[in-house]
Amino acid sequence: MYIWSLEEYDDPELYDIENTGIEELAFLRMWSDKLGIKDKPIVDLACGTGRITIPFTEQGYNLIGIDIHEGMLNQAKSKTPETMSIRWLHQDCLHMQVGVPVPLAYMVGHAFQHFLTNQHQNKFLQTLRNVLTKDGVFIFNTRFPSIEELLQPSEEVFWKSITDSQNRRCDIYTKMFFDMIKQVQSYVTIRRFYENEKMIEEKETKIDLRYTFPQELERVLLMNGFKVLHIYDGWREKMLSKDCYTMVVVCQKEQGYINYT
């Protein structure tokens, strides 16, 4: 059984405070319109608290949200207006079943990096093939493995300050440890909570993230039956460059594929 690295997501309310942007939405909507599937189901994989799922649905699209973390999914359900119809599925993306073929699936927030081994990248993509229609499209992003990204300091570095749901200041620090052999970065987040300038609580969480290089991505997608249509630098369709932070990949399920894995 695959052991997920998920403790960073154990406080869904705090996660929502720290993660507010929806920059991916315009790109995803453009592809939905390009495919002519506004009335068809679209799957948000590793949907979390519905950061993209809910506003996408608000624009008139038909969304299914899948996540393995029950707390994050419960937070998504609590945020969903009663008038809005979203199928929320508590499932492992390595074993997901949607019940109907879908023409578009996406995975944002760099969630693809949670598949730490070649075997689990393969397993995920094979499972996804079974969910997609014959020419279905998959869109996802993953951090670009630049020198600056991989060789971040192992000592604490200040990230930002936020105000939590209890009106406390929270100073957030990070530190990283990169395993060059496994291509996995252990990412530690330290949160210190203050009331009246006095620290009253400290929490430390850890997640492990796999880094995959561009040509490696193309190869793993091809060997699992996906044709790469585009790899962009970010969500604005920029050409990939060495200064990239997030790679946005658009790929399509290929027909006549034989699984040799």
mmCIF file with all atom_site columns, all heavy atoms in Angstrom, residues 191-212:
data_model
loop_
_atom_site.group_PDB
_atom_site.id
_atom_site.type_symbol
_atom_site.label_atom_id
_atom_site.label_alt_id
_atom_site.label_comp_id
_atom_site.label_asym_id
_atom_site.label_entity_id
_atom_site.label_seq_id
_atom_site.pdbx_PDB_ins_code
_atom_site.Cartn_x
_atom_site.Cartn_y
_atom_site.Cartn_z
_atom_site.occupancy
_atom_site.B_iso_or_equiv
_atom_site.pdbx_formal_charge
_atom_site.auth_seq_id
_atom_site.auth_comp_id
_atom_site.auth_asym_id
_atom_site.auth_atom_id
_atom_site.pdbx_PDB_model_num
ATOM 1   N N   . ARG A 1 191 ? 5.506  26.534 11.665  1.00 0.00 ? 191 ARG A N   1
ATOM 2   C CA  . ARG A 1 191 ? 4.567  27.632 11.892  1.00 0.00 ? 191 ARG A CA  1
ATOM 3   C C   . ARG A 1 191 ? 4.599  28.031 13.370  1.00 0.00 ? 191 ARG A C   1
ATOM 4   O O   . ARG A 1 191 ? 4.392  27.184 14.233  1.00 0.00 ? 191 ARG A O   1
ATOM 5   C CB  . ARG A 1 191 ? 3.151  27.219 11.475  1.00 0.00 ? 191 ARG A CB  1
ATOM 6   C CG  . ARG A 1 191 ? 3.013  26.977 9.979   1.00 0.00 ? 191 ARG A CG  1
ATOM 7   C CD  . ARG A 1 191 ? 1.627  26.465 9.606   1.00 0.00 ? 191 ARG A CD  1
ATOM 8   N NE  . ARG A 1 191 ? 1.478  26.355 8.164   1.00 0.00 ? 191 ARG A NE  1
ATOM 9   C CZ  . ARG A 1 191 ? 1.818  25.278 7.456   1.00 0.00 ? 191 ARG A CZ  1
ATOM 10  N NH1 . ARG A 1 191 ? 2.344  24.224 8.082   1.00 0.00 ? 191 ARG A NH1 1
ATOM 11  N NH2 . ARG A 1 191 ? 1.649  25.256 6.152   1.00 0.00 ? 191 ARG A NH2 1
ATOM 12  N N   . ARG A 1 192 ? 4.830  29.318 13.618  1.00 0.00 ? 192 ARG A N   1
ATOM 13  C CA  . ARG A 1 192 ? 4.864  29.837 14.975  1.00 0.00 ? 192 ARG A CA  1
ATOM 14  C C   . ARG A 1 192 ? 3.725  30.833 15.148  1.00 0.00 ? 192 ARG A C   1
ATOM 15  O O   . ARG A 1 192 ? 3.625  31.809 14.390  1.00 0.00 ? 192 ARG A O   1
ATOM 16  C CB  . ARG A 1 192 ? 6.225  30.478 15.260  1.00 0.00 ? 192 ARG A CB  1
ATOM 17  C CG  . ARG A 1 192 ? 7.366  29.469 15.153  1.00 0.00 ? 192 ARG A CG  1
ATOM 18  C CD  . ARG A 1 192 ? 8.696  30.043 15.632  1.00 0.00 ? 192 ARG A CD  1
ATOM 19  N NE  . ARG A 1 192 ? 9.709  28.973 15.587  1.00 0.00 ? 192 ARG A NE  1
ATOM 20  C CZ  . ARG A 1 192 ? 10.677 28.902 14.674  1.00 0.00 ? 192 ARG A CZ  1
ATOM 21  N NH1 . ARG A 1 192 ? 10.784 29.825 13.739  1.00 0.00 ? 192 ARG A NH1 1
ATOM 22  N NH2 . ARG A 1 192 ? 11.548 27.899 14.696  1.00 0.00 ? 192 ARG A NH2 1
ATOM 23  N N   . PHE A 1 193 ? 2.881  30.560 16.143  1.00 0.00 ? 193 PHE A N   1
ATOM 24  C CA  . PHE A 1 193 ? 1.669  31.350 16.373  1.00 0.00 ? 193 PHE A CA  1
ATOM 25  C C   . PHE A 1 193 ? 1.893  32.303 17.553  1.00 0.00 ? 193 PHE A C   1
ATOM 26  O O   . PHE A 1 193 ? 2.423  31.901 18.602  1.00 0.00 ? 193 PHE A O   1
ATOM 27  C CB  . PHE A 1 193 ? 0.484  30.432 16.662  1.00 0.00 ? 193 PHE A CB  1
ATOM 28  C CG  . PHE A 1 193 ? 0.159  29.502 15.519  1.00 0.00 ? 193 PHE A CG  1
ATOM 29  C CD1 . PHE A 1 193 ? 0.834  28.295 15.365  1.00 0.00 ? 193 PHE A CD1 1
ATOM 30  C CD2 . PHE A 1 193 ? -0.814 29.842 14.597  1.00 0.00 ? 193 PHE A CD2 1
ATOM 31  C CE1 . PHE A 1 193 ? 0.531  27.438 14.310  1.00 0.00 ? 193 PHE A CE1 1
ATOM 32  C CE2 . PHE A 1 193 ? -1.131 28.996 13.543  1.00 0.00 ? 193 PHE A CE2 1
ATOM 33  C CZ  . PHE A 1 193 ? -0.448 27.791 13.400  1.00 0.00 ? 193 PHE A CZ  1
ATOM 34  N N   . TYR A 1 194 ? 1.449  33.558 17.368  1.00 0.00 ? 194 TYR A N   1
ATOM 35  C CA  . TYR A 1 194 ? 1.688  34.595 18.370  1.00 0.00 ? 194 TYR A CA  1
ATOM 36  C C   . TYR A 1 194 ? 0.386  35.265 18.800  1.00 0.00 ? 194 TYR A C   1
ATOM 37  O O   . TYR A 1 194 ? -0.505 35.503 17.970  1.00 0.00 ? 194 TYR A O   1
ATOM 38  C CB  . TYR A 1 194 ? 2.615  35.681 17.804  1.00 0.00 ? 194 TYR A CB  1
ATOM 39  C CG  . TYR A 1 194 ? 4.011  35.206 17.512  1.00 0.00 ? 194 TYR A CG  1
ATOM 40  C CD1 . TYR A 1 194 ? 4.312  34.554 16.312  1.00 0.00 ? 194 TYR A CD1 1
ATOM 41  C CD2 . TYR A 1 194 ? 5.038  35.412 18.430  1.00 0.00 ? 194 TYR A CD2 1
ATOM 42  C CE1 . TYR A 1 194 ? 5.598  34.122 16.038  1.00 0.00 ? 194 TYR A CE1 1
ATOM 43  C CE2 . TYR A 1 194 ? 6.336  34.976 18.157  1.00 0.00 ? 194 TYR A CE2 1
ATOM 44  C CZ  . TYR A 1 194 ? 6.606  34.337 16.959  1.00 0.00 ? 194 TYR A CZ  1
ATOM 45  O OH  . TYR A 1 194 ? 7.880  33.906 16.689  1.00 0.00 ? 194 TYR A OH  1
ATOM 46  N N   . GLU A 1 195 ? 0.312  35.568 20.093  1.00 0.00 ? 195 GLU A N   1
ATOM 47  C CA  . GLU A 1 195 ? -0.725 36.438 20.648  1.00 0.00 ? 195 GLU A CA  1
ATOM 48  C C   . GLU A 1 195 ? -0.034 37.519 21.455  1.00 0.00 ? 195 GLU A C   1
ATOM 49  O O   . GLU A 1 195 ? 0.772  37.215 22.344  1.00 0.00 ? 195 GLU A O   1
ATOM 50  C CB  . GLU A 1 195 ? -1.691 35.653 21.541  1.00 0.00 ? 195 GLU A CB  1
ATOM 51  C CG  . GLU A 1 195 ? -2.659 34.762 20.763  1.00 0.00 ? 195 GLU A CG  1
ATOM 52  C CD  . GLU A 1 195 ? -3.655 34.068 21.670  1.00 0.00 ? 195 GLU A CD  1
ATOM 53  O OE1 . GLU A 1 195 ? -3.530 34.199 22.912  1.00 0.00 ? 195 GLU A OE1 1
ATOM 54  O OE2 . GLU A 1 195 ? -4.548 33.375 21.140  1.00 0.00 ? 195 GLU A OE2 1
ATOM 55  N N   . ASN A 1 196 ? -0.318 38.777 21.098  1.00 0.00 ? 196 ASN A N   1
ATOM 56  C CA  . ASN A 1 196 ? 0.322  39.907 21.783  1.00 0.00 ? 196 ASN A CA  1
ATOM 57  C C   . ASN A 1 196 ? 1.842  39.773 21.786  1.00 0.00 ? 196 ASN A C   1
ATOM 58  O O   . ASN A 1 196 ? 2.510  39.979 22.801  1.00 0.00 ? 196 ASN A O   1
ATOM 59  C CB  . ASN A 1 196 ? -0.197 40.033 23.223  1.00 0.00 ? 196 ASN A CB  1
ATOM 60  C CG  . ASN A 1 196 ? -1.701 40.269 23.270  1.00 0.00 ? 196 ASN A CG  1
ATOM 61  O OD1 . ASN A 1 196 ? -2.238 41.012 22.445  1.00 0.00 ? 196 ASN A OD1 1
ATOM 62  N ND2 . ASN A 1 196 ? -2.369 39.639 24.217  1.00 0.00 ? 196 ASN A ND2 1
ATOM 63  N N   . GLU A 1 197 ? 2.359  39.384 20.607  1.00 0.00 ? 197 GLU A N   1
ATOM 64  C CA  . GLU A 1 197 ? 3.803  39.257 20.384  1.00 0.00 ? 197 GLU A CA  1
ATOM 65  C C   . GLU A 1 197 ? 4.461  38.136 21.192  1.00 0.00 ? 197 GLU A C   1
ATOM 66  O O   . GLU A 1 197 ? 5.690  38.011 21.204  1.00 0.00 ? 197 GLU A O   1
ATOM 67  C CB  . GLU A 1 197 ? 4.526  40.585 20.678  1.00 0.00 ? 197 GLU A CB  1
ATOM 68  C CG  . GLU A 1 197 ? 4.062  41.740 19.806  1.00 0.00 ? 197 GLU A CG  1
ATOM 69  C CD  . GLU A 1 197 ? 4.156  41.421 18.314  1.00 0.00 ? 197 GLU A CD  1
ATOM 70  O OE1 . GLU A 1 197 ? 5.189  40.862 17.903  1.00 0.00 ? 197 GLU A OE1 1
ATOM 71  O OE2 . GLU A 1 197 ? 3.202  41.721 17.577  1.00 0.00 ? 197 GLU A OE2 1
ATOM 72  N N   . LYS A 1 198 ? 3.664  37.311 21.846  1.00 0.00 ? 198 LYS A N   1
ATOM 73  C CA  . LYS A 1 198 ? 4.215  36.180 22.579  1.00 0.00 ? 198 LYS A CA  1
ATOM 74  C C   . LYS A 1 198 ? 3.907  34.893 21.821  1.00 0.00 ? 198 LYS A C   1
ATOM 75  O O   . LYS A 1 198 ? 2.749  34.619 21.495  1.00 0.00 ? 198 LYS A O   1
ATOM 76  C CB  . LYS A 1 198 ? 3.614  36.109 23.979  1.00 0.00 ? 198 LYS A CB  1
ATOM 77  C CG  . LYS A 1 198 ? 4.140  34.929 24.800  1.00 0.00 ? 198 LYS A CG  1
ATOM 78  C CD  . LYS A 1 198 ? 3.490  34.872 26.174  1.00 0.00 ? 198 LYS A CD  1
ATOM 79  C CE  . LYS A 1 198 ? 4.003  33.675 26.971  1.00 0.00 ? 198 LYS A CE  1
ATOM 80  N NZ  . LYS A 1 198 ? 3.351  33.576 28.305  1.00 0.00 ? 198 LYS A NZ  1
ATOM 81  N N   . MET A 1 199 ? 4.942  34.100 21.544  1.00 0.00 ? 199 MET A N   1
ATOM 82  C CA  . MET A 1 199 ? 4.705  32.843 20.842  1.00 0.00 ? 199 MET A CA  1
ATOM 83  C C   . MET A 1 199 ? 4.021  31.861 21.786  1.00 0.00 ? 199 MET A C   1
ATOM 84  O O   . MET A 1 199 ? 4.514  31.584 22.885  1.00 0.00 ? 199 MET A O   1
ATOM 85  C CB  . MET A 1 199 ? 6.014  32.232 20.343  1.00 0.00 ? 199 MET A CB  1
ATOM 86  C CG  . MET A 1 199 ? 5.785  31.063 19.386  1.00 0.00 ? 199 MET A CG  1
ATOM 87  S SD  . MET A 1 199 ? 7.304  30.300 18.788  1.00 0.00 ? 199 MET A SD  1
ATOM 88  C CE  . MET A 1 199 ? 7.772  29.336 20.216  1.00 0.00 ? 199 MET A CE  1
ATOM 89  N N   . ILE A 1 200 ? 2.861  31.342 21.333  1.00 0.00 ? 200 ILE A N   1
ATOM 90  C CA  . ILE A 1 200 ? 2.092  30.434 22.184  1.00 0.00 ? 200 ILE A CA  1
ATOM 91  C C   . ILE A 1 200 ? 2.003  29.023 21.616  1.00 0.00 ? 200 ILE A C   1
ATOM 92  O O   . ILE A 1 200 ? 1.571  28.099 22.313  1.00 0.00 ? 200 ILE A O   1
ATOM 93  C CB  . ILE A 1 200 ? 0.662  30.975 22.422  1.00 0.00 ? 200 ILE A CB  1
ATOM 94  C CG1 . ILE A 1 200 ? -0.066 31.135 21.081  1.00 0.00 ? 200 ILE A CG1 1
ATOM 95  C CG2 . ILE A 1 200 ? 0.688  32.289 23.188  1.00 0.00 ? 200 ILE A CG2 1
ATOM 96  C CD1 . ILE A 1 200 ? -1.531 31.422 21.222  1.00 0.00 ? 200 ILE A CD1 1
ATOM 97  N N   . GLU A 1 201 ? 2.409  28.860 20.371  1.00 0.00 ? 201 GLU A N   1
ATOM 98  C CA  . GLU A 1 201 ? 2.314  27.528 19.773  1.00 0.00 ? 201 GLU A CA  1
ATOM 99  C C   . GLU A 1 201 ? 3.273  27.429 18.594  1.00 0.00 ? 201 GLU A C   1
ATOM 100 O O   . GLU A 1 201 ? 3.510  28.415 17.890  1.00 0.00 ? 201 GLU A O   1
ATOM 101 C CB  . GLU A 1 201 ? 0.869  27.257 19.295  1.00 0.00 ? 201 GLU A CB  1
ATOM 102 C CG  . GLU A 1 201 ? 0.635  25.850 18.789  1.00 0.00 ? 201 GLU A CG  1
ATOM 103 C CD  . GLU A 1 201 ? -0.807 25.616 18.353  1.00 0.00 ? 201 GLU A CD  1
ATOM 104 O OE1 . GLU A 1 201 ? -1.616 26.561 18.388  1.00 0.00 ? 201 GLU A OE1 1
ATOM 105 O OE2 . GLU A 1 201 ? -1.113 24.468 17.972  1.00 0.00 ? 201 GLU A OE2 1
ATOM 106 N N   . GLU A 1 202 ? 3.818  26.245 18.403  1.00 0.00 ? 202 GLU A N   1
ATOM 107 C CA  . GLU A 1 202 ? 4.664  25.974 17.243  1.00 0.00 ? 202 GLU A CA  1
ATOM 108 C C   . GLU A 1 202 ? 4.283  24.624 16.663  1.00 0.00 ? 202 GLU A C   1
ATOM 109 O O   . GLU A 1 202 ? 4.106  23.651 17.395  1.00 0.00 ? 202 GLU A O   1
ATOM 110 C CB  . GLU A 1 202 ? 6.137  25.977 17.635  1.00 0.00 ? 202 GLU A CB  1
ATOM 111 C CG  . GLU A 1 202 ? 7.071  25.665 16.462  1.00 0.00 ? 202 GLU A CG  1
ATOM 112 C CD  . GLU A 1 202 ? 8.542  25.798 16.830  1.00 0.00 ? 202 GLU A CD  1
ATOM 113 O OE1 . GLU A 1 202 ? 8.930  26.889 17.271  1.00 0.00 ? 202 GLU A OE1 1
ATOM 114 O OE2 . GLU A 1 202 ? 9.275  24.800 16.690  1.00 0.00 ? 202 GLU A OE2 1
ATOM 115 N N   . LYS A 1 203 ? 4.134  24.578 15.352  1.00 0.00 ? 203 LYS A N   1
ATOM 116 C CA  . LYS A 1 203 ? 3.807  23.329 14.665  1.00 0.00 ? 203 LYS A CA  1
ATOM 117 C C   . LYS A 1 203 ? 4.812  23.101 13.551  1.00 0.00 ? 203 LYS A C   1
ATOM 118 O O   . LYS A 1 203 ? 5.214  24.040 12.857  1.00 0.00 ? 203 LYS A O   1
ATOM 119 C CB  . LYS A 1 203 ? 2.394  23.380 14.058  1.00 0.00 ? 203 LYS A CB  1
ATOM 120 C CG  . LYS A 1 203 ? 1.262  23.419 15.054  1.00 0.00 ? 203 LYS A CG  1
ATOM 121 C CD  . LYS A 1 203 ? -0.079 23.436 14.336  1.00 0.00 ? 203 LYS A CD  1
ATOM 122 C CE  . LYS A 1 203 ? -1.246 23.455 15.303  1.00 0.00 ? 203 LYS A CE  1
ATOM 123 N NZ  . LYS A 1 203 ? -2.553 23.516 14.592  1.00 0.00 ? 203 LYS A NZ  1
ATOM 124 N N   . GLU A 1 204 ? 5.201  21.851 13.367  1.00 0.00 ? 204 GLU A N   1
ATOM 125 C CA  . GLU A 1 204 ? 6.108  21.483 12.287  1.00 0.00 ? 204 GLU A CA  1
ATOM 126 C C   . GLU A 1 204 ? 5.486  20.360 11.469  1.00 0.00 ? 204 GLU A C   1
ATOM 127 O O   . GLU A 1 204 ? 5.029  19.370 12.028  1.00 0.00 ? 204 GLU A O   1
ATOM 128 C CB  . GLU A 1 204 ? 7.454  21.043 12.853  1.00 0.00 ? 204 GLU A CB  1
ATOM 129 C CG  . GLU A 1 204 ? 8.499  20.743 11.790  1.00 0.00 ? 204 GLU A CG  1
ATOM 130 C CD  . GLU A 1 204 ? 9.868  20.462 12.383  1.00 0.00 ? 204 GLU A CD  1
ATOM 131 O OE1 . GLU A 1 204 ? 10.387 21.343 13.094  1.00 0.00 ? 204 GLU A OE1 1
ATOM 132 O OE2 . GLU A 1 204 ? 10.395 19.358 12.149  1.00 0.00 ? 204 GLU A OE2 1
ATOM 133 N N   . THR A 1 205 ? 5.450  20.534 10.161  1.00 0.00 ? 205 THR A N   1
ATOM 134 C CA  . THR A 1 205 ? 4.911  19.502 9.270   1.00 0.00 ? 205 THR A CA  1
ATOM 135 C C   . THR A 1 205 ? 5.944  19.200 8.189   1.00 0.00 ? 205 THR A C   1
ATOM 136 O O   . THR A 1 205 ? 6.834  20.008 7.912   1.00 0.00 ? 205 THR A O   1
ATOM 137 C CB  . THR A 1 205 ? 3.597  19.944 8.603   1.00 0.00 ? 205 THR A CB  1
ATOM 138 O OG1 . THR A 1 205 ? 3.837  21.129 7.827   1.00 0.00 ? 205 THR A OG1 1
ATOM 139 C CG2 . THR A 1 205 ? 2.513  20.218 9.636   1.00 0.00 ? 205 THR A CG2 1
ATOM 140 N N   . LYS A 1 206 ? 5.773  18.045 7.556   1.00 0.00 ? 206 LYS A N   1
ATOM 141 C CA  . LYS A 1 206 ? 6.723  17.619 6.525   1.00 0.00 ? 206 LYS A CA  1
ATOM 142 C C   . LYS A 1 206 ? 5.971  16.955 5.381   1.00 0.00 ? 206 LYS A C   1
ATOM 143 O O   . LYS A 1 206 ? 5.026  16.196 5.599   1.00 0.00 ? 206 LYS A O   1
ATOM 144 C CB  . LYS A 1 206 ? 7.730  16.634 7.124   1.00 0.00 ? 206 LYS A CB  1
ATOM 145 C CG  . LYS A 1 206 ? 8.709  16.044 6.122   1.00 0.00 ? 206 LYS A CG  1
ATOM 146 C CD  . LYS A 1 206 ? 9.639  15.042 6.800   1.00 0.00 ? 206 LYS A CD  1
ATOM 147 C CE  . LYS A 1 206 ? 10.426 14.287 5.750   1.00 0.00 ? 206 LYS A CE  1
ATOM 148 N NZ  . LYS A 1 206 ? 10.287 12.877 5.760   1.00 0.00 ? 206 LYS A NZ  1
ATOM 149 N N   . ILE A 1 207 ? 6.369  17.276 4.173   1.00 0.00 ? 207 ILE A N   1
ATOM 150 C CA  . ILE A 1 207 ? 5.901  16.528 3.005   1.00 0.00 ? 207 ILE A CA  1
ATOM 151 C C   . ILE A 1 207 ? 7.110  16.199 2.131   1.00 0.00 ? 207 ILE A C   1
ATOM 152 O O   . ILE A 1 207 ? 8.120  16.912 2.151   1.00 0.00 ? 207 ILE A O   1
ATOM 153 C CB  . ILE A 1 207 ? 4.842  17.288 2.161   1.00 0.00 ? 207 ILE A CB  1
ATOM 154 C CG1 . ILE A 1 207 ? 5.348  18.671 1.740   1.00 0.00 ? 207 ILE A CG1 1
ATOM 155 C CG2 . ILE A 1 207 ? 3.526  17.375 2.880   1.00 0.00 ? 207 ILE A CG2 1
ATOM 156 C CD1 . ILE A 1 207 ? 4.410  19.372 0.785   1.00 0.00 ? 207 ILE A CD1 1
ATOM 157 N N   . ASP A 1 208 ? 7.007  15.114 1.379   1.00 0.00 ? 208 ASP A N   1
ATOM 158 C CA  . ASP A 1 208 ? 8.046  14.715 0.436   1.00 0.00 ? 208 ASP A CA  1
ATOM 159 C C   . ASP A 1 208 ? 7.525  14.945 -0.976  1.00 0.00 ? 208 ASP A C   1
ATOM 160 O O   . ASP A 1 208 ? 6.378  14.585 -1.289  1.00 0.00 ? 208 ASP A O   1
ATOM 161 C CB  . ASP A 1 208 ? 8.411  13.243 0.624   1.00 0.00 ? 208 ASP A CB  1
ATOM 162 C CG  . ASP A 1 208 ? 9.090  12.993 1.962   1.00 0.00 ? 208 ASP A CG  1
ATOM 163 O OD1 . ASP A 1 208 ? 9.790  13.897 2.445   1.00 0.00 ? 208 ASP A OD1 1
ATOM 164 O OD2 . ASP A 1 208 ? 8.905  11.892 2.529   1.00 0.00 ? 208 ASP A OD2 1
ATOM 165 N N   . LEU A 1 209 ? 8.367  15.526 -1.825  1.00 0.00 ? 209 LEU A N   1
ATOM 166 C CA  . LEU A 1 209 ? 7.953  15.897 -3.177  1.00 0.00 ? 209 LEU A CA  1
ATOM 167 C C   . LEU A 1 209 ? 8.980  15.416 -4.198  1.00 0.00 ? 209 LEU A C   1
ATOM 168 O O   . LEU A 1 209 ? 10.178 15.660 -4.045  1.00 0.00 ? 209 LEU A O   1
ATOM 169 C CB  . LEU A 1 209 ? 7.806  17.423 -3.288  1.00 0.00 ? 209 LEU A CB  1
ATOM 170 C CG  . LEU A 1 209 ? 6.814  18.077 -2.324  1.00 0.00 ? 209 LEU A CG  1
ATOM 171 C CD1 . LEU A 1 209 ? 6.911  19.599 -2.407  1.00 0.00 ? 209 LEU A CD1 1
ATOM 172 C CD2 . LEU A 1 209 ? 5.395  17.621 -2.610  1.00 0.00 ? 209 LEU A CD2 1
ATOM 173 N N   . ARG A 1 210 ? 8.500  14.753 -5.233  1.00 0.00 ? 210 ARG A N   1
ATOM 174 C CA  . ARG A 1 210 ? 9.358  14.242 -6.316  1.00 0.00 ? 210 ARG A CA  1
ATOM 175 C C   . ARG A 1 210 ? 9.519  15.326 -7.386  1.00 0.00 ? 210 ARG A C   1
ATOM 176 O O   . ARG A 1 210 ? 8.551  15.974 -7.785  1.00 0.00 ? 210 ARG A O   1
ATOM 177 C CB  . ARG A 1 210 ? 8.701  12.990 -6.924  1.00 0.00 ? 210 ARG A CB  1
ATOM 178 C CG  . ARG A 1 210 ? 9.228  12.564 -8.306  1.00 0.00 ? 210 ARG A CG  1
ATOM 179 C CD  . ARG A 1 210 ? 10.529 11.799 -8.208  1.00 0.00 ? 210 ARG A CD  1
ATOM 180 N NE  . ARG A 1 210 ? 10.996 11.382 -9.526  1.00 0.00 ? 210 ARG A NE  1
ATOM 181 C CZ  . ARG A 1 210 ? 10.694 10.210 -10.097 1.00 0.00 ? 210 ARG A CZ  1
ATOM 182 N NH1 . ARG A 1 210 ? 9.898  9.347  -9.482  1.00 0.00 ? 210 ARG A NH1 1
ATOM 183 N NH2 . ARG A 1 210 ? 11.186 9.893  -11.279 1.00 0.00 ? 210 ARG A NH2 1
ATOM 184 N N   . TYR A 1 211 ? 10.731 15.481 -7.875  1.00 0.00 ? 211 TYR A N   1
ATOM 185 C CA  . TYR A 1 211 ? 11.006 16.406 -8.980  1.00 0.00 ? 211 TYR A CA  1
ATOM 186 C C   . TYR A 1 211 ? 11.296 15.609 -10.246 1.00 0.00 ? 211 TYR A C   1
ATOM 187 O O   . TYR A 1 211 ? 12.079 14.652 -10.223 1.00 0.00 ? 211 TYR A O   1
ATOM 188 C CB  . TYR A 1 211 ? 12.183 17.320 -8.640  1.00 0.00 ? 211 TYR A CB  1
ATOM 189 C CG  . TYR A 1 211 ? 11.782 18.455 -7.729  1.00 0.00 ? 211 TYR A CG  1
ATOM 190 C CD1 . TYR A 1 211 ? 11.583 18.240 -6.373  1.00 0.00 ? 211 TYR A CD1 1
ATOM 191 C CD2 . TYR A 1 211 ? 11.540 19.733 -8.237  1.00 0.00 ? 211 TYR A CD2 1
ATOM 192 C CE1 . TYR A 1 211 ? 11.185 19.276 -5.540  1.00 0.00 ? 211 TYR A CE1 1
ATOM 193 C CE2 . TYR A 1 211 ? 11.141 20.771 -7.414  1.00 0.00 ? 211 TYR A CE2 1
ATOM 194 C CZ  . TYR A 1 211 ? 10.962 20.536 -6.065  1.00 0.00 ? 211 TYR A CZ  1
ATOM 195 O OH  . TYR A 1 211 ? 10.552 21.559 -5.246  1.00 0.00 ? 211 TYR A OH  1
ATOM 196 N N   . THR A 1 212 ? 10.668 16.010 -11.333 1.00 0.00 ? 212 THR A N   1
ATOM 197 C CA  . THR A 1 212 ? 10.806 15.316 -12.611 1.00 0.00 ? 212 THR A CA  1
ATOM 198 C C   . THR A 1 212 ? 11.229 16.327 -13.667 1.00 0.00 ? 212 THR A C   1
ATOM 199 O O   . THR A 1 212 ? 10.601 17.388 -13.798 1.00 0.00 ? 212 THR A O   1
ATOM 200 C CB  . THR A 1 212 ? 9.481  14.651 -13.021 1.00 0.00 ? 212 THR A CB  1
ATOM 201 O OG1 . THR A 1 212 ? 8.973  13.866 -11.931 1.00 0.00 ? 212 THR A OG1 1
ATOM 202 C CG2 . THR A 1 212 ? 9.659  13.761 -14.231 1.00 0.00 ? 212 THR A CG2 1
#
